[in-house]
Amino acid sequence: MTRKEFELRQARRDRRIAVIGASIVFASLIALYAVLTDLTHALDPVLFPGLGVILPEMAASAPELFKGFLYSMRLLIPSLAAGILAGVTCGLVVGMHPKVKLVLMPLFRALNPVPPTMLIPYAIAVLPSFWLSSAVIIFLGVFWPVLMSTLHGVVMLEPRWIDNARCLQLTGRKLVFKVILPGAMPQIFAGVGSGLIFSFILLTVAEMFGAKAGMGFYVQYYADFAEYGKVLGGIIFLSAVVILLMTVFDRIQRRVLYWTNKR
Amino acid sequence: MIQCTDVSIAFQGKTVLDRIGLEIPDGAFLCLLGQSGCGKSTFLRLLAGLLKADSGSITIDGREVDGPEKACSVVFQDYSLFPWMTTGDNLMLALKAACPDKTRAELRNLAESYLELVGLGGAFHQYPSALSGGMRQRAAIARAISVPCRVLLMDEPFGALDPVNRAMLQDLVRTLHADSGGQRTVVFVTHDVDEALYLGTRIAVFGSSPGRLLALEDNSASRRLPREKLFADESTLALQRKIMSVYRADMEKKLNDKNLFHAGNGI
């Protein structure tokens, strides 16, 4: 058996353990909830509707949920992409110019910790549309962690990689795209990961403020009517979407950072 | 020819190299020998143009070294290959930068043939992390000699290898240098006296704090002898004793140097 086969087998076994184990934990939690609601009625039926209520509600509002999903993605994806692109670009440019970094770092340190949620009312007042103000809030929530981690990644680059690149006469775009960007990728992905999680939070918070559709709006809207079956259904749907997006992110990360796993 | 005249450099007020004067003729294999912290790696970085000397001059074939030097390629102890590219891509990146006119297929062929030359024919599609330390250094050497450069700079390239791998790679480097027929100059940094005796046609012994040239020995006769005969050879053993005594005197001087220890700043 070669090392590759062995690793493959190990990975398959780990995945099996993860899938089976997680399924058992999930199933037990759902069963416990069913026991407390539908079977024994131990919990308040208005605040904690049983699965017999939640699941039909979810099925009935599937088109509405899906529309909300599309609406949320139309807000999330462009803001996220812009935040990552701007964060990585600024991080690379500033990180590669020590003097610029010296000048801008105090500014970054001052602006970075300002919670974007605090800016929501102001953004809504200043910007012409709801979509734009929410997009700016999500953009900022992604931009700062990505910028800071990219800067960190450029600073932490192994100095001998840079020496090597200089000896190989690599300059300009080649230096950036063949050496600096891939070398900083582990830190960049760490920043994108936290930016991604933060963006879900900001998305739903922003949608609760003044949206007319979207997943956060759905939950907020039915909470106002005390339809907690739909509220819980919306939360479950939202979690499923988040899990899906995080899985996609993990896949991409594993593919791009294959070289860090085995060193 | 590499000509160094009165090269000095200081970091944070501390002199690291003090007026180094050294002449390296074409085709020489110069070993820089010295204990750690004597500035031998700094000297190599100066030759590569990665650092600039505070005073003095370094010229390669009469041309002043200013910025990363095209005539030099470098092999470090580790981190020589970029881990996010396959071994083949690592070579092709270097080749592409050195020969921008060549087509992809030509670059690929060149990369493959140089990997074969160092005994890594099957490693083209492997990532560095999948290779052993010795194989990584082989690939780094392949990359360094694949580009058309006349000076090969090696900074303790075998320092992290096990003894068997080290011996094999020493043989490889010795053969590659002999086969170049005087076309390639090698500057090789090491702290291993036997390694210097086996590889170097010239041996420069560096002293520490501040780094300066203590001795420059001719060892060109060693090239006639294979490894097992070399270390039974009387003149080699005499040279070994001579270098050892210079080396040891420098170490003892450093140990007795009271300025090395600062009161209260330690652990």
Side-chain angles (χ1 to χ4, degrees), chain A residues 163-164 166 168 178 258-259, chain B residues 45 79-80 83-84 97 143:
Chain A
D163 279 354
N164 253 307
R166 292 176 63 199
L168 297 176
K178 294 284 185 185
Y258 50 83
W259 57 273
Chain B
R45 288 169 58 82
Y79 301 100
S80 280
W84 48 84
R143 186 178 70 183

Side-chain angles (χ1 to χ4, degrees), chain A residues 34-56:
Chain A
V35 168
L36 291 175
T37 55
D38 287 336
L39 294 179
T40 62
H41 301 286
L43 293 172
D44 179 84
V46 176
L47 289 174
F48 299 98
L51 292 174
V53 178
I54 296 174
L55 294 176

Side-chain angles (χ1 to χ4, degrees), chain A residues 39-78:
Chain A
L39 294 179
T40 62
H41 301 286
L43 293 172
D44 179 84
V46 176
L47 289 174
F48 299 98
L51 292 174
V53 178
I54 296 174
L55 294 176
E57 290 275 27
M58 275 181 85
S61 35
E64 206 180 338
L65 282 172
F66 186 68
K67 223 183 81 196
F69 164 74
L70 287 183
Y71 189 89
S72 294
M73 288 305 118
R74 272 214 300 275
L75 176 56
L76 182 72
I77 304 279

Side-chain angles (χ1 to χ4, degrees), chain A residues 185-255:
Chain A
M185 255 327 162
Q187 272 82 17
I188 292 176
F189 263 93
V192 171
S194 40
L196 191 61
I197 292 169
F198 203 23
S199 74
F200 297 135
I201 299 173
L202 291 172
L203 171 76
T204 44
V205 170
E207 282 182 348
M208 285 176 170
F209 264 82
K212 301 202 170 47
M215 297 186 293
F217 167 79
Y218 180 91
V219 170
Q220 175 70 47
Y221 183 79
Y222 287 108
D224 288 347
F225 292 102
E227 284 202 48
Y228 296 113
K230 284 197 165 151
V231 170
L232 285 178
I235 292 171
I236 292 169
F237 181 73
L238 189 73
S239 319
V241 170
V242 171
I243 290 171
L244 187 78
L245 289 177
M246 288 310 283
T247 311
V248 172
F249 173 73
D250 275 350
R251 284 269 162 90
I252 297 173
Q253 175 167 3
R254 223 173 306 152
R255 177 147 308 175

Side-chain angles (χ1 to χ4, degrees), chain A residues 75 78-80 127 130-141 206:
Chain A
L75 176 56
S79 327
L80 195 60
L127 294 164
F130 167 76
W131 185 90
L132 195 61
S133 45
S134 321
V136 166
I137 297 297
I138 296 171
F139 171 86
L140 286 176

